[in-house]
Amino acid sequence: MTSWLWGTGLLLIYLVGIVSAVMALMSSRTSQGAIAWIISLLTFPYVAVPAYWFFGRPRFYGYVSARGERDSVLRQVLNRYRSNMLPFCSPSLTSDIQAVEQLAMMPLTQHNHAELLIDGKATFDSLFAGIDRATHYVLIQFFIVRNDALGRQLQYHLEQAARRGVRVYFLYDEVGSRKLDEGYLKDLSCLGVKVSAFRSSRGLKHPFQLNFRNHRKVLVVDGEQGWLGGFNVGVEYLGESRRHGPWRDTHLMLEGPSVLGLQEAFWEDWHWATGEVINLHWQPVAMSAPSHDVVIVPSGPADRLDTASLLVQSLIHSANERLWVTSPYFVPDQGVQDALRLAAMRGVDVRVMIPERPDHVLVFLSAFSFLPDMLRAGVKIYRYLPGFLHQKTILIDNHSATVGTINLDNRSFRLNFEITAFIPSPAFAGQMRLMLEEDFAQCRRVSLDEIQQRPLWKKVISRAAYLMSPIQ
């Protein structure tokens, strides 16, 4: 009897493995990911089946259902807000900008002011000053929040805002901030701050969505000022970590109608996390001068398209003279790799800046498997030497730039909720160029010989790590 039950159990596991392999074949977003899952599910079903059902889901279901319902409160508010935006929408002068607008499902807005914030002190001074100016509400979300000196400073400013009668909504990712203790959150809640974790799974309705993350870093004050970029909340982001040393990162402060794009992204995230539809201001406030055009591009696993990957590919194809990219994690999909190589072959000055010091070992090793092809095509790879490079920026020619949260890897392209500001402004692009020129001056350029002379065992490990990248 026991052997019969054992054999039946094994047969069921193999049958579920076959069914899961078919599902992976039909739904995986990349051929690499499909192959990796199919081989695992058919070879090691005992381990791979539960792993696939918890980590292999290709889409984030349920997130946009309320927005899509004809009579939903979210849809009604969005329709009114979008009509308010019409006087501030800038005409799309090029097909490249039109493509970004369609990916974002948000318009190019004018009468904005964009300010680069370079490194931790400038960023958090600006963030805290913004919170202190709030009179109506503060919307704030981070992927990582730590209960350390910087985290307690943030807590203080949020508590002071709540004491003034400002409505404060605090959203954090449950995985990225898994070490954030209950005492920190309880202290915020006791003063009236609305606190919620962003959970990829929600009850029994969507139980198998554990591999998704909300990687956005957003602050909105009164619907008039907004911040986004690479920084999380922890003293390491101020360069006070022995492991990482000096921390190089970039954030962005926005004023003007584009802030409502940031607000919309937070508003939908909060609705997913809590079920609440919070009452916010949706009337755009235009800046007189200086003026930048801005498109806010939210992206994530609930999108119909691979928004983040397509955005990066579109920006690469639009470059004619210069394409400078910074990313701490550089394992782009095949489409982005091909676009980078083609751009270099067209004579574009393609530079990619990545860290010298590894943060995630598998991601670091993966890059060695495809860097030779990049280098042969003329793509220039630089490693940042002074400390850990964490900024996520792109400079296109002398006319456009992006600042956001997207890393050039599969997780950011397909598994994370991300957000990016696209700014087609020569003045802003000039500021970005000066900033990146200083960074490149502190880098070393990677040579093809350096990669090819690595021992065979390192090449094998790098290739294996790269094959696993779609499911990391």
Side-chain angles (χ1 to χ4, degrees):
M1 186 68 174
T2 303
S3 60
W4 180 84
L5 289 173
W6 180 254
T8 303
L10 290 178
L11 179 60
L12 287 173
I13 290 174
Y14 272 104
L15 289 174
V16 173
I18 292 170
V19 172
S20 301
V22 172
M23 292 178 64
L25 174 66
M26 301 302 294
S27 63
S28 292
R29 292 191 176 193
T30 66
S31 57
Q32 233 181 314
I35 292 169
W37 278 119
I38 290 169
I39 292 174
S40 301
L41 288 164
L42 297 181
T43 309
F44 308 106
Y46 318 104
V47 176
V49 166
Y52 175 75
W53 281 93
F54 281 100
F55 300 109
R57 303 301 295 276
R59 299 284 179 185
F60 192 97
Y61 299 101
Y63 178 87
V64 295
S65 59
R67 177 180 175 180
E69 292 170 2
R70 183 181 300 274
D71 298 321
S72 72
V73 176
L74 264 69
R75 183 163 180 173
Q76 293 173 27
V77 172
L78 283 175
N79 288 340
R80 291 197 299 270
Y81 140 60
R82 291 295 175 84
S83 65
N84 293 341
M85 293 287 284
L86 289 176
F88 305 97
C89 292
S90 183
S92 302
L93 300 178
T94 68
S95 58
D96 298 323
I97 294 177
Q98 290 175 6
V100 174
E101 286 184 301
Q102 290 190 50
L103 286 170
M105 293 192 294
M106 289 190 183
L108 178 72
T109 61
Q110 53 191 351
H111 302 301
N112 300 285
H113 172 62
E115 179 185 348
L116 272 177
L117 299 170
I118 302 173
D119 286 335
K121 186 179 187 307
T123 295
F124 287 101
D125 284 351
S126 180
L127 287 170
F128 294 156
I131 295 170
D132 293 344
R133 287 192 297 269
T135 57
H136 299 291
Y137 57 82
V138 170
L139 315 176
I140 185 165
Q141 72 179 120
F142 283 97
F143 178 61
I144 296 172
V145 180
R146 302 198 192 282
N147 185 7
D148 58 14
L150 184 61
R152 288 187 289 274
Q153 285 186 60
L154 174 63
Q155 182 186 50
Y156 170 80
H157 288 280
L158 294 177
E159 289 176 347
Q160 291 301 110
R163 289 180 190 276
R164 298 194 308 272
V166 175
R167 290 181 291 140
V168 180
Y169 300 88
F170 179 85
L171 185 64
Y172 63 95
D173 185 83
E174 68 171 347
V175 176
S177 298
R178 62 189 177 277
K179 295 182 181 179
L180 186 61
D181 58 85
E182 289 296 323
Y184 183 98
L185 302 172
K186 185 177 180 180
D187 289 345
L188 286 172
S189 297
C190 286
L191 286 173
V193 174
K194 299 287 188 179
V195 176
S196 178
F198 186 94
R199 300 177 177 87
S200 55
S201 59
R202 191 170 66 178
L204 297 176
K205 192 173 181 181
H206 303 284
F208 301 118
Q209 299 188 152
L210 302 185
N211 201 27
F212 301 113
R213 308 280 182 269
N214 195 315
H215 194 241
R216 293 170 181 165
K217 298 95 172 170
V218 170
L219 170 67
V220 174
V221 170
D222 296 337
E224 298 178 5
Q225 294 180 308
W227 289 258
L228 75 159
F231 279 97
N232 289 295
V233 181
V235 295
E236 66 267 34
Y237 295 88
L238 297 174
E240 298 177 10
S241 164
R242 290 184 178 180
R243 176 187 174 192
H244 297 294
W247 191 277
R248 178 68 190 90
D249 218 328
T250 298
H251 228 68
L252 183 71
M253 192 274 278
L254 292 171
E255 296 176 283
S258 63
V259 174
L260 295 186
L262 292 179
Q263 180 167 285
E264 179 183 329
F266 179 95
W267 187 62
E268 290 193 324
D269 286 351
W270 186 266
H271 176 71
W272 165 263
T274 67
E276 297 179 61
V277 179
I278 53 179
N279 184 28
L280 303 174
H281 299 166
W282 294 101
Q283 184 60 46
V285 177
M287 301 296 294
S288 54
S291 181
H292 298 118
D293 289 352
V294 179
V295 183
I296 298 298
V297 188
S299 58
D303 297 352
R304 181 175 58 86
L305 302 173
D306 291 336
T307 303
S309 176
L310 290 174
L311 171 66
V312 173
Q313 291 180 60
S314 176
L315 298 177
I316 296 169
H317 289 309
S318 70
N320 293 309
E321 299 174 7
R322 176 183 298 106
L323 184 87
W324 294 356
V325 178
T326 67
S327 179
Y329 313 116
F330 185 62
V331 194
D333 59 24
Q334 196 62 50
V336 172
Q337 289 184 40
D338 292 343
L340 287 169
R341 287 197 292 264
L342 283 170
M345 292 174 182
R346 287 189 285 111
V348 178
D349 177 18
V350 180
R351 304 186 192 182
V352 178
M353 188 189 309
I354 56 179
E356 173 76 1
R357 306 178 186 182
D359 182 30
H360 293 287
V361 176
L362 280 179
V363 175
F364 179 79
L365 291 173
S366 297
F368 289 100
S369 66
F370 59 84
L371 284 184
D373 289 339
M374 290 276 183
L375 294 167
R376 290 188 192 99
V379 176
K380 302 164 188 170
I381 307 294
Y382 293 82
R383 290 199 175 275
Y384 185 75
L385 297 174
F388 188 68
L389 177 84
H390 193 254
Q391 62 176 326
K392 305 102 169 33
T393 63
I394 300 176
L395 174 65
I396 306 100
D397 295 339
N398 293 314
H399 57 68
S400 303
T402 69
V403 178
T405 66
I406 295 175
N407 298 309
L408 268 65
D409 65 1
N410 185 66
R411 175 157 288 283
S412 276
F413 287 168
R414 296 177 176 87
L415 299 175
N416 287 349
F417 289 89
E418 308 280 6
I419 195 159
T420 301
F422 171 68
I423 307 172
S425 161
F428 184 82
Q431 296 175 36
M432 178 79 78
R433 178 179 178 178
L434 291 175
M435 179 188 78
L436 294 179
E437 283 177 342
E438 291 187 13
D439 291 335
F440 280 117
Q442 301 180 76
C443 294
R444 69 175 183 87
R445 188 171 169 183
V446 178
S447 70
L448 181 58
D449 286 344
E450 172 189 341
I451 305 297
Q452 290 181 325
Q453 290 173 3
R454 300 173 78 239
L456 178 60
W457 66 271
K458 285 188 177 181
K459 294 179 182 178
V460 171
I461 291 176
S462 296
R463 190 62 184 172
Y466 177 62
L467 291 176
M468 292 296 294
S469 63
I471 56 177
Q472 287 174 14

